[in-house]
């Protein structure tokens, strides 16, 4: 449904995307995970036809975004990170204006608006001015708006940023419903791990390059076993000692020493006994996407 | 056809609804030219001479405030969703310019209510060509605002242009002194300044002094300027972006 082929984009001399390729299948929820400045927004702008890439191609629903942006726009719904709603208009007025932009009018538009509002639980807020809505509701209006022309693909840019956890869960429930009932293909950018975890597949983007691709499970299984995090005053020394003593390759980040290891609980007792007094706190967890990101890039997502 | 006019119409309507819901904007736009006019007019004991200039200033302020919103609107606002909709960019440009021009026109008409202070008496029938002239001027100035705003990244850049280009342009348009008495290079600048023709058109329609250049010339130049700006706006908006537009 979405094919990204060797896309490179430069802003002047700065390379924002470097030879990025991936495919998204019909009905998938696909995530672009990475820190801000990693290239997600650039890719989002290219896919949503706001910008032409320096090099490479993107094909959405069989149409090239550069050659035939008008055709792509008919098949794609875009949910922006920043509000693309007119705050001085009501929910209903925003939807109607959006429908008009897509050449919809009359009974068809009316029915689609009803359906979209119902689907996203906005029916009872239809006459409210957008500026009076909460962040979560606004985001839902954005989605309702993006669905009016029944797109095959929904592009969502950091859709859950700025939402509280409840609104975030609510949003992902709506997104999952859409995929199930309408078979909409969804591509979302995010730097929020729990949102990335709910994707079917994702790519990790770092400094304009794809550093890993797969399902969340596949990505996590790249790290065998557990992750042990140690806090200490002198991280470098501790890391060096662990390497020497246990033959492991710990990494140091944000004042912590991270070790990937099978049977982490056993390692914890060993390491604490081996360096008495040097370790201030110990943590153990199953690998997260953050761990995968750290392993592949040496940098943190947030 | 529907896919061209419907987006334009919805944008136009949006401008009006927004305007209606923020009525305080009317006061802001009409008040300052009114104050300028009364101060200069009473001070020089010649309200009539500065009336057309003040009216054009009202229209200009309104056109600027409407088009300045493009800068924010495309970064985080409704224009974003227009940019990714299949609606032709040209219909978007037409809708935005017509919408903003209508607002400028309404505010120009409000200013027209003060015309009796300048000694202007117009009948209801005479109101039609006057209103038409004000609309033409509104359309032209909105087009100018659009052309400036479209490429701008920040509103502060627009303010700089307003102070360095638009306000001086207004000063040498016959709003403060007529072309006939202007000196040297200024006279030449006034001759090429499209706003000069807007002022003289209004002076002619309102039967105020200094209606020169003549009416035909004034209408032609003002309309031609408006059409050229509309075309430029259309071409600019249709261009593909390679850098971050939003």
């Amino acid at each position: 449904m979405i094919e990204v082929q060797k896309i490179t984009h430069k802003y002047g001399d700065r390379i924002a995307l470097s030879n990025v390729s991936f495919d998204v299948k019909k009905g998938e929820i696909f995530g672009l995970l990475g820190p801000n400045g990693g290239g997600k927004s650039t890719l989002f702008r290219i896919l949503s036809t706001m910008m032409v890439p320096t090099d490479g191609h993107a094909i959405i629903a069989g149409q090239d975004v550069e050659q035939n942006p008008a055709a792509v726009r008919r098949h794609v719904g875009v949910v922006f990170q920043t509000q693309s709603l007119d705050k001085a208009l009501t929910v209903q007025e925003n939807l109607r204006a959006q429908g008009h932009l897509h050449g919809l009018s009359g009974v068809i538009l009316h029915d689609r608006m009803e359906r979209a509002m119902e689907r996203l639980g906005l029916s009872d807020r239809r006459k409210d001015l957008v500026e009076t809505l909460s962040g979560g509701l606004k985001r839902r209006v954005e989605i309702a708006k993006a669905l009016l022309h029944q797109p095959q693909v929904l592009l969502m840019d950091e859709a859950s940023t700025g939402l509280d956890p409840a609104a975030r869960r609510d949003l992902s429930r709506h997104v999952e419903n859409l995929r199930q009932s309408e078979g909409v293909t969804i591509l979302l950018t995010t730097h929020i791990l729990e949102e990335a975890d709910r994707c079917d597949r994702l790519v990790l983007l770092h400094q304009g390059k794809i550093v890993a691709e797969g399902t969340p499970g596949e990505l996590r299984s790249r790290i065998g076993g557990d992750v042990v995090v140690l806090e200490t005053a002198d991280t470098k020394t501790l890391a060096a000692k662990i390497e020497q003593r246990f033959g492991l390759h710990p990494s140091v980040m944000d004042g912590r020493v991270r070790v990937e290891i099978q049977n982490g609980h056993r390692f914890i007792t060993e390491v604490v006994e081996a360096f008495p007094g040097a370790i201030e706190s110990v943590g153990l967890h199953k690998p997260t996407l953050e761990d995968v990101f750290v392993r592949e890039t040496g940098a943190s997502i947030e | 056809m529907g896919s061209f006019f419907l987006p334009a119409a919805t944008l136009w309507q949006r401008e009006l609804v927004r305007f209606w819901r923020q009525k305080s904007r009317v006061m802001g736009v009409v008040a300052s030219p009114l104050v300028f006019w009364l101060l200069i007019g009473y001070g020089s004991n010649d309200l009539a001479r500065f009336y057309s200039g003040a009216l054009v200033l009202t229209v200009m302020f309104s056109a600027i405030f409407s088009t300045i919103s493009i800068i924010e609107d495309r970064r985080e606002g409704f224009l974003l969703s227009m940019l990714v909709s299949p609606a032709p960019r040209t219909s978007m440009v037409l809708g935005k310019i017509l919408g903003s021009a209508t607002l400028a026109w309404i505010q120009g008409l409000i200013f027209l209510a003060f015309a009796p202070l300048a000694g202007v008496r117009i009948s209801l029938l005479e109101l039609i060509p006057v209103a038409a002239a004000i609309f033409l001027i509104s359309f032209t100035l909105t087009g100018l605002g659009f052309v400036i705003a479209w490429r701008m990244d920040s509103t502060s850049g627009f303010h700089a242009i307003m102070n360095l280009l638009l306000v001086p342009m207004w000063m040498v348009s016959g709003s403060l002194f007529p072309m006939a008495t202007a000196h040297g290079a200024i006279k030449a600048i006034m001759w090429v300044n499209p706003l000069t023709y807007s002022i003289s058109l209004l002076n002619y329609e309102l039967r105020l002094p200094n209606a020169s250049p003549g009416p035909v010339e004034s209408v032609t130049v003002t309309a031609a300027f408006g059409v050229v700006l509309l075309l430029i706006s259309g071409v600019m908006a249709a261009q593909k972006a390679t850098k971050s537009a939003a």
Side-chain angles (χ1 to χ4, degrees):
Chain A
M1 188 55 71
I2 305 174
E3 295 166 49
V4 173
Q5 302 166 348
K6 297 185 176 167
I7 285 190
T8 294
H9 194 81
K10 294 176 187 164
Y11 298 114
D13 288 337
R14 195 170 72 78
I15 297 174
L17 286 173
S18 170
N19 205 17
V20 167
S21 301
F22 59 84
D23 285 347
V24 181
K25 294 191 213 79
K26 185 169 165 38
E28 252 185 332
I29 298 181
F30 191 91
L32 302 177
L33 174 66
N36 292 327
K40 288 174 300 174
S41 295
T42 301
L43 192 50
F44 176 82
R45 286 197 195 104
I46 291 169
L47 293 177
S48 59
T49 72
M50 288 201 291
M51 199 167 75
V52 174
T54 314
D55 207 2
H57 294 282
I59 317 284
I60 300 182
Q63 304 286 348
D64 189 304
V65 292
E66 185 176 357
Q67 305 302 324
N68 205 350
V72 171
R73 287 170 193 155
R74 275 192 284 276
H75 296 301
V76 172
V78 184
V79 181
F80 290 97
Q81 174 183 13
T82 50
Q83 308 292 337
S84 75
L85 303 172
D86 191 322
K87 295 184 188 64
L89 300 186
T90 64
V91 170
Q92 202 164 227
E93 287 168 336
N94 266 287
L95 293 181
R96 190 175 302 121
Q98 174 76 8
H100 288 167
L101 292 184
H102 281 269
L104 299 169
S105 58
V107 181
I108 295 179
L109 176 58
H110 180 262
D111 289 350
R112 298 246 183 114
M113 280 167 61
E114 287 301 323
R115 196 174 147 77
M117 283 189 286
E118 192 184 319
R119 169 130 296 169
L120 288 139
L122 295 164
S123 300
D124 55 336
R125 308 302 295 269
R126 66 177 70 205
K127 297 219 166 108
D128 292 6
L129 289 180
V130 165
E131 63 190 354
T132 65
L133 301 181
S134 70
L137 274 169
K138 279 184 192 154
R139 220 56 69 96
R140 268 150 59 183
V141 181
E142 289 268 355
I143 297 176
K145 204 175 103 158
L147 290 174
L148 282 178
H149 61 291
Q150 301 185 327
Q152 301 176 38
V153 174
L154 200 59
L155 301 176
M156 302 176 72
D157 191 18
E158 300 279 346
S160 61
T161 300
L163 299 187
D164 59 55
R168 214 177 264 171
R169 274 194 299 277
D170 181 58
L171 189 72
S172 65
R173 188 169 52 82
H174 284 296
V175 169
E176 180 60 43
N177 280 346
L178 277 177
R179 182 258 292 273
Q180 296 221 328
S181 58
E182 326 258 318
V184 181
T185 306
I186 293 154
L187 182 136
L188 53 88
T189 72
T190 186
H191 66 276
I192 294 165
L193 296 169
E194 52 164 309
E195 193 178 18
D197 252 317
R198 282 193 290 259
C199 294
D200 299 325
R201 282 196 307 139
L202 57 140
V203 293
L204 305 190
L205 268 180
H206 180 60
Q207 295 176 348
K209 294 195 180 93
I210 292 183
V211 292
E213 179 176 356
T215 66
E218 279 166 13
L219 291 173
R220 274 198 299 264
S221 68
R222 288 185 176 204
I223 295 176
D226 304 316
V227 177
V228 174
V229 182
L230 306 168
E231 276 184 48
T232 175
D234 185 355
T235 48
K236 271 192 188 151
T237 312
L238 183 65
K241 281 183 180 166
I242 290 173
E243 186 158 1
Q244 202 179 26
R245 172 98 176 239
F246 296 95
L248 297 165
H249 300 286
S251 57
V252 175
M253 247 191 52
D254 305 332
R256 291 180 184 139
V257 178
R258 291 177 69 265
V259 184
E260 295 169 9
I261 191 164
Q262 298 275 359
N263 298 323
H265 58 284
R266 266 181 230 152
F267 172 71
I268 288 178
T269 37
E270 287 170 27
V271 79
V272 173
E273 278 171 14
F275 311 113
I279 297 167
E280 286 160 20
S281 109
V282 180
L284 169 107
H285 62 259
K286 294 288 170 198
T288 64
L289 290 172
E290 167 85 10
D291 294 315
V292 180
F293 197 84
V294 170
R295 178 196 172 99
E296 302 295 337
T297 67
S300 160
I301 290 182
E302 298 187 28
Chain B
M1 287 302 264
S3 61
F4 181 83
F5 288 107
L6 197 56
T10 205
L11 258 196
W12 175 80
Q13 189 191 18
R14 167 179 172 254
E15 295 287 332
L16 295 192
V17 171
R18 286 172 60 89
F19 181 71
W20 181 246
R21 290 189 184 155
Q22 308 167 5
K23 291 183 210 69
S24 57
R25 258 170 74 183
V26 186
M27 275 310 295
V29 165
V30 177
S32 50
L34 190 63
V35 169
F36 293 166
W37 174 55
L38 292 176
L39 288 177
I40 299 175
Y42 273 121
S44 60
N45 197 24
D46 197 352
L47 279 166
R49 176 170 164 183
F50 302 108
Y51 181 73
S52 294
L55 199 155
V56 167
L57 192 63
T58 307
V59 169
M60 189 163 101
F61 280 164
S62 172
I64 287 169
F65 290 138
S66 297
T67 48
I68 218 170
S69 67
I70 291 173
I71 299 165
E72 300 272 293
D73 211 10
R74 57 191 275 168
R75 193 182 298 272
E76 45 184 310
F78 195 72
L79 270 188
L80 264 181
S81 37
M82 312 211 58
L83 294 175
V84 297
S85 83
R89 295 282 171 91
T90 41
S91 99
M92 183 178 112
V93 171
L94 189 69
K96 177 73 194 176
I97 291 183
L98 277 182
S100 299
T102 306
L103 302 188
W105 181 60
I106 292 171
Q107 291 172 85
L109 291 180
I110 292 171
F111 200 86
L112 194 61
F114 298 98
L117 286 180
V120 173
R121 297 273 180 276
I122 38 175
S123 68
L124 222 52
L125 208 64
E126 284 171 314
L127 202 61
I128 296 168
V130 174
I134 296 175
F135 186 80
L136 186 63
I137 296 165
S138 305
F139 182 80
T140 302
L141 285 171
T142 309
L144 185 62
F146 188 99
V147 168
I148 296 169
W150 187 254
R151 287 296 177 85
M152 291 258 154
D153 298 329
S154 72
T155 47
S156 55
F158 199 109
H159 285 294
I161 292 219
M162 181 169 119
N163 289 331
L164 288 171
L165 178 77
L166 298 177
V167 172
M169 202 170 142
W170 173 81
M171 285 176 164
V172 293
S173 64
S175 58
L176 298 175
F177 48 88
M179 190 154 91
T181 61
H183 279 282
I186 297 295
K187 190 167 191 160
I189 290 171
M190 288 177 79
W191 188 73
V192 296
N193 181 359
L195 270 188
T196 304
Y197 300 82
S198 302
I199 301 271
S200 65
L201 177 61
L202 274 180
N203 282 341
Y204 172 79
E205 297 288 355
L206 297 170
R207 282 186 254 109
L208 288 165
N210 303 316
S212 131
V216 178
E217 209 179 335
S218 296
V219 171
T220 313
V221 172
T222 307
F225 187 48
V227 169
V228 167
L229 288 167
L230 183 67
L231 291 178
I232 296 175
S233 307
V235 170
M236 281 192 347
Q239 271 171 0
K240 289 179 181 173
T242 54
K243 68 183 183 108
S244 161

